[in-house]
Amino acid sequence: MTAYAVANLRPAAQLDDEVFDYMERIQATLDPFGGRFLVHGATLEVVEGQWPCALVVVAFPALDDAREWYASDAYQELLPLRTRHMAGDVVLVDGVAPGYDPAVTAARMREAQAGAGAAGR
């Protein structure tokens, strides 16, 4: 199942050269793990709430590939070039399976919530 690395980054108004170096070199760290950018440097159209950050989404064949990429020596060596100059939040997450139905998830959640409420009585 496809997995994703999702970053919510807060770049400074003026980017340090190390950030550009990071950007120029990151793809080489992704390639061995099948990682590919889906969103990077795009203008966001905020339709609800606020989003003052830059969004980055990288797809991987599986969650283990994303984990192995993030923990890899090549990426860990590169990572400080960004983190020294740009705060952010990064998560690794599985995508949904083909045929995913949010109504089925809602029914499970509703059932679990009802069961928790009954147990607390």
Side-chain angles (χ1 to χ4, degrees), residues 2-3 27-37 58-62 65-66 69:
T2 303
Q27 188 62 51
T29 72
L30 294 167
D31 288 341
F33 303 97
R36 63 184 178 87
F37 281 93
V58 178
F60 291 88
D65 296 307
W69 160 73

Side-chain angles (χ1 to χ4, degrees), residues 35-60:
R36 63 184 178 87
F37 281 93
L38 297 180
V39 177
H40 188 240
T43 301
L44 300 175
E45 181 177 333
V46 179
V47 295
E48 291 185 34
Q50 298 177 18
W51 196 286
C53 302
L55 176 66
V56 178
V57 180
V58 178
F60 291 88

Side-chain angles (χ1 to χ4, degrees), residues 16-91:
D16 189 273
D17 279 344
E18 283 191 335
V19 175
F20 296 122
D21 291 344
Y22 170 90
M23 292 170 64
E24 292 165 351
R25 296 169 50 196
I26 189 172
Q27 188 62 51
T29 72
L30 294 167
D31 288 341
F33 303 97
R36 63 184 178 87
F37 281 93
L38 297 180
V39 177
H40 188 240
T43 301
L44 300 175
E45 181 177 333
V46 179
V47 295
E48 291 185 34
Q50 298 177 18
W51 196 286
C53 302
L55 176 66
V56 178
V57 180
V58 178
F60 291 88
L63 190 55
D64 283 345
D65 296 307
R67 287 182 183 125
E68 290 173 15
W69 160 73
Y70 192 85
S72 71
D73 290 342
Y75 187 64
Q76 288 301 306
E77 178 183 317
L78 188 62
L79 185 57
L81 299 180
R82 178 182 58 79
T83 58
R84 281 195 290 260
H85 308 285
M86 186 184 301
D89 307 297
V90 178
V91 298

Side-chain angles (χ1 to χ4, degrees), residues 92-104:
L92 305 178
V93 61
D94 259 329
V96 297
Y100 172 78
D101 183 350
V104 172

